[in-house]
């Protein structure tokens, strides 16, 4: 038998993350297959995998930092390792299930990395960590429901608390308790019983606990290598049954919200308490996890913009992901519900600010937020297309530098049988123009041609502030200069933001136009939109103006002229 740790230390945390990630990778498709509720997008296994991948990456970074230090460095402490694991899971949490997993790991870290925590946790300490993990996860869910991952976590904690011996014995007891509770979830939740399947999130937690047993004993626990977690799991039924399985520890309302909104939030505890109340009134499936100034917020709502605005009022939201579930495929309930059919067509768009993310989502698009300096990877675009759950997808990168990334994502989902058209939009205002003429009832090719034509007929500009001295098409700019870029090239260098914006607008309208779209960033003066609208009214007859608020979008101002 290979040598295994007798206590839970930093090396055990590292090994656990690696083994759990491998196990979730093997089980991902199976878990996805039994996840068709509350939205039939089959992504619970994928969300758990991505969440744990972020946790494992953070732990590896801590070890790499110590190894780079050299000398007599004996590696990270248990506290450092579990804090990294919890933080990595928090910032990388995906979906409802991933958000709850992140809180479970955070709850463990609060015990194992507390002020009085030992350098190495024994069996009793590991049991306390599992108990606190289950309790903190339950507290993070606005309306807990039994028969979900929360039930499985509580059963694992109960079993661990009653175990005698070292960490291996406690981990094995937790796994067995979770495994038994998972098999009973269909008896505790009608929708599971009707479907003949177990809770998908709980199935993922059992997989993670099996990896903990292997870490601390060197043995794969019974049932972990099988297709399902136990004789009563009935996972095979997920492939043939027309009824749903649950992956939501918070109960959605029948016929409920159409958008999933997820974001990280920097905010104080008091502000988050108010945010919980506001989001709970807006929608359902509310889970808010985190602490110490950083939170992960997950909610299903009808008004995606209001959910984001609530985050802006509470603090600084970022990494915002808004997914439109599609008409008719979200939150249906009862025995008559069937797995959702794919919608015929969807639009997936990359947007630079929270306000635009809400605007695009309200127009029916799945919005992927691109923060300044944090462009989405092709994998994130692939996930967004999958969550759109459509046979045909129009992809709007809204950035010239994202064209190749979007093309790679399109090729991947085409291989999965989805018809994808990539419209090479280079700015969010071109995407707005394309979305304005989008008609799902038209033939796909005709719709794509119309959207491409509208985007191509829209000139775009942005007004931003130079961060350093550099050469431009308009001459040398200094740090702090206001730059006006037209169609991607610097056309105006000025000192005053409003004057520069007016100069850019005049240059764009010199060739004519029918509609001016202004998207204001957080740094835009309040009067700039009024000045620009007045210039259009006074100097350009029959030209209309539309103003949107983009939020933290990088540029101070975006301008589109159709």
């Amino acid at each position: 038998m290979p040598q295994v740790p007798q206590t839970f230390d930093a090396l055990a945390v590292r090994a656990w993350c690696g083994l759990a990630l491998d196990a979730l990778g093997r089980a991902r498709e199976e878990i996805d297959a039994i996840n068709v509720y509350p939205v039939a997008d089959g992504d619970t296994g994928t969300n758990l995998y991505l969440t744990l991948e972020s946790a494992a990456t953070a732990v590896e970074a801590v070890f790499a930092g110590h190894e780079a230090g050299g000398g007599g460095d004996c590696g990270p402490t248990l506290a450092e390792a579990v804090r990294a694991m919890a933080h990595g899971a928090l910032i990388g949490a995906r979906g409802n299930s991933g958000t709850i997993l992140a809180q479970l790991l955070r709850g463990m870290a609060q015990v194992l990395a507390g002020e009085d925590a030992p350098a190495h946790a024994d069996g009793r300490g590991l049991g306390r960590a599992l108990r606190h993990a289950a309790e903190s996860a339950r507290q993070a869910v606005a309306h807990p429901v039994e028969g979900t991952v929360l039930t499985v976590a509580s059963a694992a904690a109960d079993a661990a608390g009653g175990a005698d011996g070292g960490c291996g014995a406690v981990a094995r007891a937790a796994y067995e308790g979770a495994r038994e509770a998972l098999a009973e979830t269909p008896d505790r939740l009608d929708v599971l019983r009707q479907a003949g399947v177990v809770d998908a999130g709980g199935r993922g937690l059992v997989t993670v606990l099996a990896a903990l047993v292997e870490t601390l004993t060197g043995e794969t626990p019974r049932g972990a290598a099988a297709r399902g977690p136990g004789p009563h799991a009935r996972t095979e039924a997920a492939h043939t049954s027309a009824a749903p399985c649950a992956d939501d520890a918070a109960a959605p309302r029948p016929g409920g919200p159409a958008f999933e909104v997820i974001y990280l939030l920097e905010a104080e505890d008091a502000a988050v308490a108010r945010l919980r109340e506001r989001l709970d009134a807006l929608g359902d499936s509310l889970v808010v996890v985190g602490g110490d100034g950083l939170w992960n917020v997950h909610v299903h709502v009808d008004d995606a913009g209001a959910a984001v605005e609530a985050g802006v009022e509470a603090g600084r939201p970022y990494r915002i992901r808004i997914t439109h579930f599609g008409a008719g495929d979200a939150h249906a309930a009862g025995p008559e519900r069937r797995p959702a059919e794919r919608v015929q067509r969807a639009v997936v768009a990359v947007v630079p600010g929270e306000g635009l993310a809400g605007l695009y989502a309200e127009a029916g698009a799945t919005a992927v937020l691109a923060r300044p300096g944090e462009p989405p990877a092709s994998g994130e675009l692939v996930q967004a297309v999958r969550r759109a759950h459509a046979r045909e997808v129009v992809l709007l990168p809204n950035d010239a530098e994202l064209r190749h990334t979007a093309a790679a994502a399109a090729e991947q989902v085409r291989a999965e049988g989805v018809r994808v058209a990539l419209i090479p939009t280079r700015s969010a205002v071109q995407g707005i123009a394309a979305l304005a003429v989008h008609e799902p009832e038209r033939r796909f090719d005709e719709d794509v041609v119309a959207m491409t034509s509208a985007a191509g007929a829209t000139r775009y500009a942005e007004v931003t502030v130079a961060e350093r001295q550099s050469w431009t098409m308009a001459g040398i700019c200094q740090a702090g200069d206001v730059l006006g870029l037209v169609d991607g090239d610097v056309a105006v260098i000025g000192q005053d933001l409003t004057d520069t914006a007016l100069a850019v607008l005049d240059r764009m309208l010199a060739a004519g136009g029918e509609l001016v779209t202004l998207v204001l960033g957080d740094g835009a003066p309040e009067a700039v939109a009024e000045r620009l609208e007045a210039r259009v009214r006074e100097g350009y007859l029959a030209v209309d103006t539309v103003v949107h608020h983009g939020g933290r979008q990088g540029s101070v101002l975006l301008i589109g002229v159709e």
Side-chain angles (χ1 to χ4, degrees):
M1 179 183 297
Q3 185 175 0
V4 295
Q6 299 302 307
T7 57
F8 194 66
D9 57 10
L11 287 173
V13 172
R14 186 186 200 182
W16 180 31
C17 286
L19 289 171
L21 189 62
D22 289 344
L24 283 174
R26 293 190 300 270
R28 181 183 61 81
E29 291 186 3
E30 176 196 335
I31 297 173
D32 282 347
I34 62 171
N35 162 223
V36 293
Y37 182 78
V39 182
D41 50 4
D43 64 354
T44 292
T46 299
N47 286 337
L48 289 170
Y49 179 87
L50 292 172
T51 302
L52 196 56
E53 182 181 44
S54 183
T57 299
V59 172
E60 288 300 321
V62 168
F63 273 87
H66 278 267
E67 291 166 3
D73 195 333
C74 58
T77 63
L78 171 62
E80 290 174 322
V82 295
R83 285 195 193 107
M85 175 181 67
H87 181 74
L90 178 66
I91 64 174
R94 301 295 185 95
N96 192 293
S97 52
T99 305
I100 292 174
L101 175 61
Q103 186 66 3
L104 287 167
L105 297 180
R106 175 177 169 80
M108 292 186 68
Q110 288 175 324
V111 172
L112 299 174
E115 293 182 1
D116 300 326
H120 308 280
D122 57 12
R124 183 172 297 177
L126 180 59
R128 286 198 301 270
L130 291 170
R131 164 55 57 198
H132 187 66
E135 292 173 350
S136 61
R138 188 172 289 270
Q139 292 169 2
V141 176
H143 302 286
V145 173
E146 296 304 326
T148 66
V149 63
L150 297 179
T151 302
V152 176
S154 295
D158 291 343
D164 294 323
C167 288
V170 170
R172 193 181 296 278
Y175 167 76
E176 292 295 344
R179 185 170 176 265
E180 292 175 6
L182 177 65
E184 295 170 358
T185 54
D187 299 325
R188 309 194 69 170
L189 199 57
D190 285 344
V191 69
L192 297 176
R193 178 180 53 78
Q194 293 160 5
V197 292
V198 295
D199 176 68
R203 171 70 176 91
L205 179 58
V206 169
T207 301
V208 172
L209 290 174
L212 181 62
V213 174
E214 186 175 355
T215 299
L216 295 169
T217 67
E219 300 175 353
T220 301
R222 67 185 183 91
R227 175 174 176 78
H232 304 293
R234 296 172 287 177
T235 55
E236 190 66 37
H239 299 277
T240 57
S241 175
C245 165
D247 169 41
D248 204 339
R253 300 191 312 270
F259 298 102
E260 178 185 58
V261 179
I262 306 172
Y263 51 80
L264 291 178
L265 177 70
E266 293 178 356
E268 299 298 326
D269 290 6
V272 172
R274 294 191 296 271
L275 174 67
R276 288 178 189 269
E277 294 179 1
R278 181 169 178 186
L279 291 180
D280 194 27
L282 284 174
D284 58 36
S285 296
L286 174 61
V287 185
V288 180
V289 304
D292 301 322
L294 181 62
W295 308 81
N296 192 303
V297 179
H298 171 283
V299 67
H300 294 176
V301 293
D302 280 322
D303 190 343
V308 175
E309 289 172 5
V312 172
E313 291 179 5
R316 187 177 82 89
Y318 61 103
R319 292 194 185 180
I320 299 171
R321 293 190 295 273
I322 299 176
T323 302
H324 182 247
F325 291 136
D329 67 353
H331 300 287
E336 73 284 356
R337 197 176 70 84
R338 295 292 183 267
E341 293 289 336
R342 287 182 179 272
V343 296
Q344 184 61 32
R345 190 172 308 158
V347 177
V348 175
V350 180
V351 293
E354 298 92 340
L356 283 180
L359 175 69
Y360 272 74
E362 288 169 5
T366 296
V368 180
L369 187 70
R371 297 294 308 157
E374 297 180 7
S378 61
E380 188 170 355
L381 296 184
V382 168
Q383 287 298 318
V385 171
R386 288 172 178 163
R387 292 182 70 84
H389 203 55
R391 300 182 183 91
E392 302 166 340
V393 173
V394 179
L395 186 56
L396 306 175
N398 290 342
D399 187 333
E401 296 183 0
L402 283 177
R403 183 171 181 178
H404 295 298
T405 300
E411 285 300 316
Q412 183 172 341
V413 292
R414 285 185 188 120
E416 299 173 4
V418 179
R419 191 179 184 188
V420 182
L422 172 61
I423 298 178
T425 49
R426 294 171 290 173
S427 171
V429 290
Q430 288 188 323
I432 291 172
L435 199 56
V437 301
H438 168 55
E439 293 186 12
E441 294 77 18
R442 275 194 300 225
R443 290 179 55 249
F444 185 63
D445 291 338
E446 293 176 354
D447 197 29
V448 171
V449 168
M451 295 177 72
T452 303
S453 178
T458 302
R459 300 189 69 196
Y460 65 97
E462 63 177 302
V463 178
T464 188
V465 178
E467 296 181 355
R468 58 185 178 275
Q469 183 188 62
S470 61
W471 293 85
T472 75
M473 296 289 289
I476 301 175
C477 72
Q478 305 295 328
D481 283 349
V482 181
L483 306 181
L485 291 81
V486 178
D487 293 336
D489 294 323
V490 176
V492 180
I493 300 175
Q495 301 300 314
D496 180 79
L497 191 146
T498 301
D499 290 343
T500 303
L502 288 168
V504 169
L505 180 63
D506 286 337
R507 183 172 297 218
M508 295 180 73
L509 285 173
E514 297 178 358
L515 176 66
V516 172
T517 300
L518 305 175
V519 182
L520 304 178
D522 278 351
E526 294 183 3
V528 68
E530 296 177 3
R531 291 284 303 278
L532 293 172
E533 287 183 287
R535 175 64 63 87
V536 172
R537 285 195 305 269
E538 296 165 3
Y540 304 94
L541 298 177
V543 178
D544 294 324
T545 306
V546 177
V547 180
H548 302 293
H549 293 273
R552 299 176 180 87
Q553 62 186 22
S555 299
V556 178
L557 173 68
L558 298 177
I559 304 175
V561 174
E562 298 178 44

